[in-house]
Amino acid sequence: MIRKYAEQILKLYNYIDGLVVTDKKGYIVYYNTFRPDINNLREKEVVDKHILEVYPSLTEETSSIMRVIRNRKPTYNEKQKLETFKGQSLQKVNTTLPINIEDEFAGVVEVSRYIDSNVQKEKIELSIKNTDKLKDKNNMYSLDDIITCEPVMYELKEKISRISQTNSSVLIYGETGTGKELVVQAIHDLSNRSKGPFVSQNCAAIPSTLLESILFGTVKGSFTGARDIKGLFELADGGTLFLDEINSMEFAVQAKLLKAIEEKSIRRIGGVNFIDTDVRIITAINEKPSLLIDENKLRSDLFYRLSVVQLNLPPLRKRTEDIDLLTDHFIDIFNQIMGKRVIGVSEEVNGFFNSYPWPGNVRELENIIEGAFNITKNNLIEKGDLPGYLFNNTDDKFSLQNEFGTESLKKMVEKYEKSIIIKALKKKENKAEAAKLLKISKQALNYKLKKYNLTYL
């Protein structure tokens, strides 16, 4: 119940940098920062923690939230200097208000403006905040960047954590757009090679006549215009080499790749000397391995060598619980990039998203959200903000009413799911037990509690 007030406050305050909502004891139930360049705390790191645990430099007296909990009186424009449990120092101007639901005190909401070197400390003036300092896409993705509430994806993340500690070859199978490189970078980021180079190459993007020289390098004079150039194996020495769409390689190059992996050495094109390399090989394909082998697109001996560990990425159409979660995630990202206040998608669009087959997978969803941000004039993404190609064959489905009533199938399923979750919460003493009863992870349960505005008491 408390969480819904956070979204209402966001609509009222156009120029805040951060917002936190706690229950009446000071435990955080909602947390959002719009300046990740100043405050790097994430909601999942602080929700369910006490405010004094998140900001250990504060006390019962110096914390504006704890004072409001004690005296139930609001405070306005109070400057506060504090330190997070990560050791990051922050200076803020806070407005802290008690939350009353049906005349009963339920918690506290605090909205903040961060004070940095570009803001005068003596006079704080509201201004449109700078939200363009997002994650540099040249930086490595980590395991936390895999956004999901699906059990199959949690299992995948656990596998990533385990296999990152070894040097075995990994083969990833997944359709285009499922996030194969994100998984590869997460493996590299967790490994003992994380300080070494990460080299990525889509083999389909390079003509077959050039791919061999790009992989292994060249020696000056080996052919007209050739120079002494390191190949990808040498560039990735001590780190990770990711080769995407390896089935696009010619068989002759596949044979040389197999030899280089087995012997852990390469010879440049035109060279006579063997060069030792220390590289972890991770590869990816977007078609079923058995099909590629049968069609002579992939050597069976290379496949067996590369697939010491094999990871399968499910398509988005088989991750239906993640569609809403990813939609919200991309909306948050593009709100920051474009400085907008889009709060979600319309019910019509949401219904379509959950019935659309997503042939382009997560990448297609991200691109559609980005495109809608360029067009929408409202705080909700509507059907008219989506690209026309989506409706070539699905327009009738998009507007189809459920013949059994006015509610969609999705809404009816959500109502049933919500009722089951409420029963589980009432039956068990804590969220962990409730999640176990429902046979889902605690993280998935937390997401559903947020989705249905349920507060676990």
Side-chain angles (χ1 to χ4, degrees), residues 213 216-220 222-223 226-231 268-270:
S213 59
F216 306 120
T218 58
V219 172
K220 184 178 181 180
S222 56
F223 54 87
R227 296 177 296 155
D228 289 325
I229 298 177
K230 291 182 178 180
R268 292 184 185 180
I269 305 301

Side-chain angles (χ1 to χ4, degrees), residues 143 146 148-163 183 310-312 314 441 443:
L143 196 63
I146 301 177
T148 186
C149 65
E150 288 275 7
V152 66
M153 293 299 292
Y154 282 126
E155 184 179 347
L156 175 67
K157 292 175 75 168
E158 291 177 1
K159 287 181 180 179
I160 289 172
S161 297
R162 293 195 295 269
I163 67 177
V183 170
Q310 183 174 330
L311 298 178
N312 297 324
S441 68
Q443 291 170 299

Side-chain angles (χ1 to χ4, degrees), residues 4 16 19 24 41 51 58 105 146 153 237 243 320 344 376 383 397 436:
K4 73 176 184 180
I16 64 173
L19 182 147
K24 58 187 177 183
L41 291 181
I51 193 70
L58 297 178
F105 177 67
I146 301 177
M153 293 299 292
D237 191 47
L243 300 176
T320 53
T376 187
K383 175 185 175 183
K397 294 180 183 179
K436 187 175 179 180

Side-chain angles (χ1 to χ4, degrees), residues 370-436:
E370 180 179 3
F373 262 75
N374 282 274
I375 298 173
T376 187
K377 298 178 182 178
N378 306 310
N379 61 358
L380 282 178
I381 294 174
E382 305 283 353
K383 175 185 175 183
D385 302 323
L386 305 181
Y389 81 85
L390 291 174
F391 314 115
N392 290 340
N393 299 313
T394 57
D395 201 54
D396 291 338
K397 294 180 183 179
F398 192 93
S399 59
L400 185 63
Q401 295 296 318
N402 191 293
E403 62 179 351
F404 299 104
T406 57
E407 287 188 329
S408 67
L409 175 63
K410 181 177 183 296
K411 281 294 179 183
M412 289 189 286
V413 171
E414 285 181 343
K415 277 188 176 181
Y416 180 70
E417 182 179 57
K418 183 177 178 180
S419 68
I420 294 296
I421 291 173
I422 291 172
K423 289 179 182 178
L425 292 174
K426 289 180 178 178
K427 189 171 184 179
K428 295 297 181 179
E429 295 181 354
N430 55 56
K431 284 191 287 187
E433 289 293 325
K436 187 175 179 180

